[in-house]
Amino acid sequence: WRANSEVRQVERALSVRPGEPVAISATLGEAIDRSLVVAEASDGAFDPTVAPLVELWRATQRSGVLPVDSVVEAARTKVGWARITRSSGSADALDPTLTAPTGTRFDFGGIGKGFGADEALEILRARGMPAALVELGGDFAVGAAPPGKAGWTLAIATGLGDERIVLTIAECGVATSGDLERFVEVDGVRYSHLLDPETGLGLTTPIAVTVVAPDAALADGLASAISVMAATKAADVGALLDRFAAAARVVAGATPGDANSAPRIATIGPWPE
């Protein structure tokens, strides 16, 4: 979101040189590549180019008014992970590049915390601290177990009903996506900050998805994708998790603050117990 960040500079370069490759750093290239893997596997339920729709959601949060259909559709025409072409550089040290249509904007909110946690954990490992855990905003990169322990014990509150997830794990990533804190109500309808790229609007069913995956970036991206898929493509969630050797706990349907509303809980994949 910073005006001078590399992401914003790349977007500006794409706008003035449409169709031409723009040089990017190896770190940004890796973040985009990790995002595109999840985007392709989830058939776009997760999409790193969703920024134009996120901007509309934030405007709704400020004004309390939904955008009209034509504005949503105009934003959706600028969204689409498949529009991105990547070059990872070459043996002669050429910079990695990115090519995308004018108007392409990026939002790494669905994978960035996990990606950052993984990067931090790698630094700790490189400095001789393999038994470490990094947490960024509720996403975890989990290293080797503490001495004498089976793993790190995590207690995760989903915010839906009384559901509380307790895990003892090591050498993996854990991430939770949900709308406990970030949503906007318009005319009695609760719109999550979790956006469905197909509709351009926030999800309207309360949901919390916790994913355990080989690393935190993958867990973060999958949790974001499954939050959208649970409402529209639930049958595909199992295959998505199998592809990445991941597991998920999905808590859906409860209304926050309503003691009479019970959540529906589903566990998919080899969940650690």
Side-chain angles (χ1 to χ4, degrees):
W1 49 266
R2 292 177 177 166
N4 64 343
S5 71
E6 182 185 7
V7 174
R8 300 288 89 89
Q9 293 180 45
V10 167
E11 291 171 351
R12 288 193 289 270
L14 290 171
S15 68
V16 298
R17 301 198 304 273
E20 296 183 17
V22 174
I24 59 176
S25 69
T27 299
L28 179 55
E30 183 180 357
I32 290 173
D33 290 345
R34 297 298 303 274
S35 297
L36 293 179
V37 166
V38 178
E40 183 275 330
S42 67
D43 195 26
F46 171 86
D47 193 323
T49 69
V50 76
L53 296 174
V54 173
E55 182 176 330
L56 293 183
W57 183 89
R58 289 175 176 161
T60 296
Q61 188 180 40
R62 293 190 297 268
S63 69
V65 178
L66 288 176
V68 297
D69 291 346
S70 60
V71 171
V72 175
E73 286 306 307
R76 288 184 67 244
T77 64
K78 301 176 182 178
V79 175
W81 64 270
R83 306 176 348 147
I84 300 172
T85 302
R86 282 275 293 113
S87 170
S88 300
S90 61
D92 58 1
L94 291 176
D95 288 335
T97 63
L98 166 72
T99 305
T102 297
T104 298
R105 296 176 56 204
F106 297 96
D107 187 299
F108 295 101
I111 200 170
K113 289 185 296 184
F115 183 83
D118 284 335
E119 293 287 298
L121 182 59
E122 284 306 309
I123 291 172
L124 293 173
R125 284 170 171 160
R127 297 187 179 185
M129 293 175 276
L133 177 146
V134 177
E135 183 266 344
L136 289 176
D139 292 351
F140 300 86
V142 187
K149 301 288 186 179
W152 296 87
T153 299
L154 307 182
I156 302 167
T158 66
L160 298 180
D162 295 325
E163 172 67 4
R164 187 167 175 265
I165 297 171
V166 179
L167 298 169
T168 300
I169 51 177
E171 301 290 3
C172 64
V174 182
T176 298
S177 286
D179 62 355
L180 173 62
E181 298 180 355
R182 298 186 63 193
F183 61 90
V184 60
E185 289 189 0
V186 180
D187 297 330
V189 179
R190 175 186 173 113
Y191 294 90
S192 168
H193 76 290
L194 298 167
L195 303 179
D196 183 349
E198 289 192 2
T199 67
L201 299 176
L203 303 180
T204 56
T205 300
I207 192 166
V209 177
T210 298
V211 171
V212 179
D215 60 62
L218 183 57
D220 199 2
L222 289 175
S224 301
I226 292 169
S227 296
V228 174
M229 296 173 68
T232 60
K233 302 176 182 177
D236 298 332
V237 170
L240 177 66
L241 291 167
D242 286 346
R243 175 169 173 172
F244 296 107
R249 178 72 58 82
V250 180
V251 185
T255 302
D258 184 352
N260 297 315
S261 177
R264 301 187 305 275
I265 302 171
T267 301
I268 309 167
W271 188 256
E273 298 291 350

